Amino acid sequence: MKETVPTAPRTASHDLPVSPELARFLARDWAATPMPDDIRLPAADVTPARRERLSARFPGERLIVPAGELSVRSNDCDHRFRPHSAYAWLTGLTGEDQAGHVLVLEPDGPHRHEAVLYLRPRSPRTDGGFYRDRRYGEFWVGRRPDLVEAARMTGVHCVHLADLGALPPGRDAATDSELASVLSELRLIKDAWEVAQLQLAVDHTAAGFEDVVRGLPRALAHPRGERWIEGVFGLRARAEGNGTGYETIAASGAHACVLHWIRNDGPLDARQLLLLDAGVETDTLYTADLTRTLPLSGRFSPVQRQVYDLVLAAQEAGIAALKPGARFRDFHRAAMRVLAEGLTEWGVLKSPEGDFHRRYTLCSSGHMLGLDVHDCARARATAYLDGVLEEGQVLTVEPGLYLQPDDETLPPELRGIGVRIEDDLVITGEGARLMSSALPRTPEAVEAWMGELTDG
């Protein structure tokens, strides 16, 4: 186990010296400021069952799940911190103040564990750390709970982080591949609370897409309209949740043919399409992942609609393949079959057989969704990619066509068009429920929706 100890206070060249007299003055006459009584975390009622499921997989073994450490951006400035998803799932703690904290599941008999949280509690006003420590001091980064308050928040026994170094080694989720895989696999099926959080993320994301459409006139007038789009959506994400669940893709014109276009530095052209792939992450760190491809003029041109209709047909085929017991890859194969047949009808391919269609679509048609946008990625193939769908899993269906602007296998009118349609769905007992039904998908509905939002 890697030993974790509190770091020394961080200082910078512009810090002013503190005289002994000032230190004594700063250490006295502070009122008690306890946290409110009602600070129990929303997830505290569901995390015990999650820890029990993990405990059952590793009887008699000490399990160590770190939140992760701060990462330096430059000099004395750190990147914004987000706890590791496994730590958040097991504790319910999702704040930026969790850097360096560790959950340990201590064996308590042959078939159960006791959960212990090793935390950095609120610093006393007598040691100087509250005003000198730039990384963790209360005056620099805000308040933390004390150990009693943290236990009340989480329902977990809490001790000081300084005591962690005395622990014997155990399985560390940061380095143990089997533990990491099991943690991913346990998160594949969402409980009802998680599905509700994901629905909230989807609803906020739909509102963000509406914001973007309302903001299109100003975005079209700006020399970096893609950045304007990114900023409009980012405002909604920060106002309603923790922020975006991943870097927003605001790709206009041929930029939509770059699958992970996040530079977002281009202008908008009303004759072209905008591919917007974005998701709001809730305060509990569950993220949506939606994509719509929108005509910037408000109406699809005939060739744009031709491409859009084919991608929509592929998505419909993929969604129809979702049901408990279906292979995970079935929906992708269904969507790809539609695209391959459509490309053959257009004369782009000679036959739908084989994998030549991948020149124009490149990637898989979806993935699991949850605390991470590509959720449960450490799960073994037998449980995920080569596994079967089960009730309670949440995933995306997102086929796309990316017709590169320099691709001479394509007729000129198709070059430079990129279309992706992505929705979030939860597997039910009968099939799948479309969580993102608030956003239109058919070209007629998209045009009507855009008209309603921009006419006013």
Side-chain angles (χ1 to χ4, degrees):
M1 180 188 73
K2 180 181 177 182
E3 183 174 332
T4 305
V5 296
T7 58
R10 184 192 299 205
T11 59
S13 58
H14 60 271
D15 278 353
L16 297 175
V18 177
S19 67
E21 294 78 15
L22 178 56
R24 287 193 293 270
F25 179 63
L26 286 167
R28 63 181 177 83
D29 298 329
W30 297 104
T33 55
M35 288 193 166
D37 292 333
D38 58 344
I39 57 174
R40 185 174 172 85
L41 294 171
D45 292 333
V46 295
T47 52
R50 299 173 184 175
R51 295 192 294 268
E52 287 179 10
R53 291 168 60 199
L54 178 61
S55 174
R57 299 291 291 271
F58 296 95
E61 297 189 67
R62 176 177 289 107
L63 306 178
I64 302 165
V65 184
E69 301 287 347
L70 289 168
S71 176
V72 175
R73 179 178 180 181
S74 64
N75 300 319
D76 61 338
C77 296
D78 292 314
H79 288 283
R80 187 183 293 276
F81 180 77
R82 181 191 187 277
H84 190 279
S85 295
Y87 175 90
W89 186 71
L90 291 167
T91 67
L93 292 164
T94 60
E96 296 176 22
D97 60 345
Q98 295 304 305
H101 295 179
V102 180
L103 172 69
V104 177
L105 297 184
E106 287 285 355
D108 184 16
H111 301 296
R112 65 183 302 272
H113 290 75
E114 179 194 8
V116 182
L117 273 167
Y118 288 82
L119 307 177
R120 183 181 295 101
R122 184 163 63 247
S123 58
R125 295 291 175 87
T126 55
D127 66 358
F130 70 98
Y131 65 88
R132 292 302 304 270
D133 188 337
R134 286 170 167 262
R135 264 193 161 171
Y136 306 113
E138 184 175 326
F139 281 14
W140 289 97
V141 297
R143 299 187 65 205
R144 294 187 303 276
D146 62 26
L147 295 176
V148 173
E149 291 167 336
R152 196 163 75 242
M153 290 172 66
T154 62
V156 176
H157 178 54
C158 297
V159 299
H160 200 292
L161 183 61
D163 296 335
L164 181 63
L167 275 183
R171 283 182 177 260
D172 190 327
T175 58
D176 188 299
S177 60
E178 183 184 7
L179 178 55
S181 293
V182 169
L183 282 164
S184 273
E185 290 161 13
L186 289 175
R187 294 197 293 111
L188 280 167
I189 297 177
K190 274 56 181 178
D191 57 40
W193 186 86
E194 291 180 288
V195 173
Q197 290 300 302
L198 284 162
Q199 186 63 64
L200 182 64
V202 168
D203 294 344
H204 289 323
T205 300
F209 274 66
E210 291 187 358
D211 295 339
V212 165
V213 173
R214 291 190 184 97
L216 281 178
R218 295 189 70 178
L220 282 159
H222 197 279
R224 290 204 292 183
E226 290 177 344
R227 289 274 170 95
W228 192 275
I229 295 299
E230 178 186 348
V232 168
F233 187 85
L235 174 59
R236 173 68 66 171
R238 284 294 282 169
E240 303 289 3
N242 188 54
T244 55
Y246 53 95
E247 294 294 329
T248 297
I249 298 170
S252 64
H255 289 167
C257 300
V258 181
L259 273 77
H260 288 168
W261 176 263
I262 59 173
R263 297 180 203 171
N264 300 341
D265 59 359
L268 305 183
D269 184 332
R271 297 168 296 179
Q272 297 177 335
L273 300 172
L274 170 73
L275 189 157
L276 178 62
D277 186 333
V280 172
E281 180 181 81
T282 64
D283 290 331
T284 56
L285 304 187
Y286 288 85
T287 186
D289 182 9
L290 301 178
T291 305
R292 287 296 182 268
T293 305
L294 309 174
L296 286 167
S297 68
R299 299 192 68 82
F300 292 97
S301 71
V303 70
Q304 290 168 351
R305 181 159 180 167
Q306 174 188 345
V307 178
Y308 190 96
D309 281 342
L310 180 54
V311 174
L312 179 61
Q315 192 199 33
E316 293 283 11
I319 291 174
L322 297 178
K323 60 182 179 180
R327 308 297 301 181
F328 172 79
R329 298 184 191 270
D330 286 352
F331 77 91
H332 169 68
R333 294 190 178 104
M336 291 302 99
R337 183 69 187 182
V338 171
L339 292 183
E341 291 174 350
L343 289 166
T344 303
E345 290 176 7
W346 294 352
V348 173
L349 294 177
K350 294 180 179 179
S351 166
E353 305 306 320
D355 61 357
F356 291 105
H357 64 277
R358 294 184 61 185
R359 177 179 178 121
Y360 312 102
T361 190
L362 294 174
C363 64
S364 179
S365 300
H367 52 81
M368 293 296 178
L369 186 67
L371 282 167
D372 298 318
V373 64
H374 293 160
D375 204 33
C376 309
R378 298 292 298 274
R380 286 163 288 203
T382 52
Y384 181 178
L385 298 177
D386 296 329
V388 298
L389 297 176
E390 298 184 55
E391 185 174 356
Q393 292 179 336
V394 178
L395 71 164
T396 70
V397 178
E398 51 173 312
L401 281 175
Y402 312 98
L403 309 177
Q404 303 296 334
D406 55 349
D407 189 341
E408 293 183 343
T409 69
L410 295 168
E413 66 271 16
L414 288 176
R415 297 175 194 172
I417 296 177
V419 173
R420 178 164 66 252
I421 309 169
E422 179 179 19
D423 284 276
D424 302 340
L425 300 102
V426 57
I427 304 299
T428 65
E430 297 75 34
R433 176 172 66 84
L434 186 64
M435 303 176 75
S436 43
S437 58
L439 287 180
R441 292 190 299 133
T442 68
E444 299 86 358
V446 168
E447 291 175 345
W449 173 70
M450 293 182 69
E452 291 170 2
L453 292 174
T454 55
D455 283 349

